[in-house]
Amino acid sequence: MPVKKVFYFMDWGIFGLRSYNYILLLSHLLMENEYSPRLFVNIVWILAALIIPALFWFPQQRMNKGWFISLELLLGGSYYVKSFMQADQLGSVDYLIPSLTIGYLLTRKTAWTIPVLSVLPFTSMLFGKVTWDLALGSSSDNLLFSFIGIWVSFIAKAYHEKNKLAKEIDEQNKLLSQYAAEIERMTLLEERSRMSKEMHDTLGHSFISLIMSLDAAIALLGKNPSLAKEKLISIRGMTEQNLDEMRDIVHKMGEEETTSLADHAERLVSNFREYTGTVILLTLKGTERTLPFDMRQSIIRVIQESFTNALKHGKATEIELELRFSPSALSVAIRNNGTPLGKIEHGFGLSTMKNRVEMLGGTFSISSLAVAGVEVRCEIPLKGDKPDAEN
């Protein structure tokens, strides 16, 4: 159910109960009493208690809770005390529904009303008409219903916060997805541009040379067959060379799967610097081992997510990435100078990062730094005993 509908239902439910309470009191007066000046005063009193506070709080229209509660206590509370002192009405008079309404609308500024509700029944004892036990029971009932109202209000607010948080998480996930898609698109465009330039500069030039050599060989066929043959042999060698160059280009197109983690991290840092203007320091320690493609991709995704969070949530201007290789483990630390963390909420992004690392058998942690900023740290065990010589 949408949040607005929840509050709409809650407000009108409480307002309806309160209105019903006063209308019921009014109907009892009209049915059980003959007309008299006293009856007229009571009717006006109840109508005032019903209408005047509602001028300051009405569902979805007026929200001055402080004035509503004050007038509710002044008008409805005074009528309750007056009725409570009348011995013939002791069994039928209560202030439960108004207490529920006050609890539902309670704010920090109106917290003083809780002790007032508990004291109301005891004021009747000053006139000697109410016993201690009866006043204590009525006071307890008032407090109970006011706390029920507070509980209902708390549930409504908690539901609102939950939906607000879910909406924020959904928006953040959309932004992150857009960012990842944009980075992927830019990387693909850069790669396509690089490959097209390389093919133009190598294969394009070679094929032009082949065409010109073939034209020359064709022209020599009738005049000097032996020279034409030499030209054709030369053209064949050039063709083999072009084939080797084409194979080399195709090989480079697939080199992503064999790129080392350090090279991939350097490329990510370079792209992030260029696209966001963030100062990023990359530190590599130890000798990199040959890592599986899936492991490298998971680590890069964690680094990419950490960079994004540092900018989006921490408003960081400087980031430090440290990759430390040891014979048995890889340590990844991403530090930034952004806003320190409060209570850590493992939303979609952090949960995904944690799951990626744990699927590799590693550990994931995030914490605030001593002075300012946040650190993300991953410890991932490594298998195998051959370091990557190229790194």
Side-chain angles (χ1 to χ4, degrees), residues 278 307-318 336-339:
T278 309
F307 284 3
T308 303
N309 289 342
L311 263 65
K312 179 173 177 58
H313 303 295
K315 310 300 180 185
T317 57
E318 296 181 5
N336 67 72
N337 66 343
T339 306

Side-chain angles (χ1 to χ4, degrees), residues 314 334-341 366-369 372-376:
I334 306 104
R335 308 178 190 91
N336 67 72
N337 66 343
T339 306
L341 292 171
I366 180 170
S367 59
S368 296
L369 297 175
V374 176
E375 179 183 56
V376 174

Side-chain angles (χ1 to χ4, degrees), residues 79 206 229 233 252 272 274 294 309 321-322:
Y79 183 83
S206 299
K229 181 178 180 182
I233 293 173
K252 288 180 178 179
F272 208 85
E274 181 180 351
D294 292 344
N309 289 342
L321 170 60
E322 179 183 297

Side-chain angles (χ1 to χ4, degrees), residues 17-30:
L17 283 174
R18 175 186 177 274
S19 301
Y20 172 76
N21 174 74
Y22 284 111
I23 292 172
L24 191 62
L25 284 176
L26 187 62
S27 65
H28 285 167
L29 280 176
L30 294 174

Side-chain angles (χ1 to χ4, degrees), residues 275-289:
Y275 299 141
T276 66
T278 309
V279 177
I280 305 179
L281 174 64
L282 173 61
T283 304
L284 302 174
K285 297 183 179 180
T287 303
E288 180 177 348
R289 295 179 174 276

Side-chain angles (χ1 to χ4, degrees), residues 334-385:
I334 306 104
R335 308 178 190 91
N336 67 72
N337 66 343
T339 306
L341 292 171
K343 182 180 179 181
I344 299 177
E345 299 287 347
H346 279 73
F348 178 82
L350 287 180
S351 297
T352 301
M353 294 163 66
K354 187 172 182 290
N355 290 338
R356 286 184 185 277
V357 175
E358 290 180 347
M359 287 181 66
L360 299 175
T363 58
F364 173 88
S365 64
I366 180 170
S367 59
S368 296
L369 297 175
V371 179
V374 176
E375 179 183 56
V376 174
R377 180 171 290 276
C378 309
E379 297 288 338
I380 303 167
L382 299 180
K383 297 180 181 180
D385 52 11

Side-chain angles (χ1 to χ4, degrees), residues 155-352:
I155 290 177
K157 290 177 181 178
Y159 188 84
H160 171 69
E161 291 298 323
K162 170 181 171 292
N163 281 270
K164 181 180 178 182
L165 180 61
K167 184 178 179 180
E168 289 178 356
I169 291 174
D170 184 60
E171 290 176 352
Q172 291 171 8
N173 289 341
K174 288 179 180 179
L175 287 174
L176 290 174
S177 298
Q178 291 173 1
Y179 167 77
E182 184 66 15
I183 290 293
E184 184 178 356
R185 186 184 69 84
M186 289 180 176
T187 303
L188 183 59
L189 288 176
E190 285 183 356
E191 185 67 13
R192 285 178 177 175
S193 177
R194 185 182 69 82
M195 297 307 300
S196 63
K197 290 178 181 178
E198 187 169 347
M199 292 181 72
H200 176 271
D201 294 341
T202 55
L203 295 182
H205 174 74
S206 299
F207 277 113
I208 290 174
S209 298
L210 282 173
I211 292 171
M212 293 177 65
S213 297
L214 285 172
D215 288 341
I218 292 171
L220 290 171
L221 281 175
K223 298 178 180 179
N224 193 341
S226 60
L227 184 58
K229 181 178 180 182
E230 291 178 7
K231 282 283 185 183
L232 290 172
I233 293 173
S234 175
I235 291 171
R236 186 182 186 283
M238 188 183 298
T239 305
E240 289 181 346
Q241 183 180 351
N242 289 350
L243 179 60
D244 291 338
E245 289 180 352
M246 185 185 69
R247 286 172 176 169
D248 183 58
I249 291 174
V250 172
H251 174 72
K252 288 180 178 179
M253 292 177 68
E255 70 179 356
E256 182 69 19
E257 293 193 1
T258 59
T259 302
S260 69
L261 176 62
D263 290 341
H264 204 153
E266 288 177 348
R267 188 187 306 169
L268 176 63
V269 167
S270 177
N271 288 339
F272 208 85
R273 281 198 197 107
E274 181 180 351
Y275 299 141
T276 66
T278 309
V279 177
I280 305 179
L281 174 64
L282 173 61
T283 304
L284 302 174
K285 297 183 179 180
T287 303
E288 180 177 348
R289 295 179 174 276
T290 302
L291 303 178
F293 176 74
D294 292 344
M295 177 181 288
R296 282 183 277 119
Q297 285 295 100
S298 295
I299 296 170
I300 287 297
R301 293 295 175 261
V302 170
I303 296 172
Q304 187 179 40
E305 181 82 10
S306 300
F307 284 3
T308 303
N309 289 342
L311 263 65
K312 179 173 177 58
H313 303 295
K315 310 300 180 185
T317 57
E318 296 181 5
I319 300 175
E320 179 183 352
L321 170 60
E322 179 183 297
L323 298 177
R324 183 188 296 271
F325 296 92
S326 70
S328 59
L330 164 64
S331 175
V332 182
I334 306 104
R335 308 178 190 91
N336 67 72
N337 66 343
T339 306
L341 292 171
K343 182 180 179 181
I344 299 177
E345 299 287 347
H346 279 73
F348 178 82
L350 287 180
S351 297
T352 301

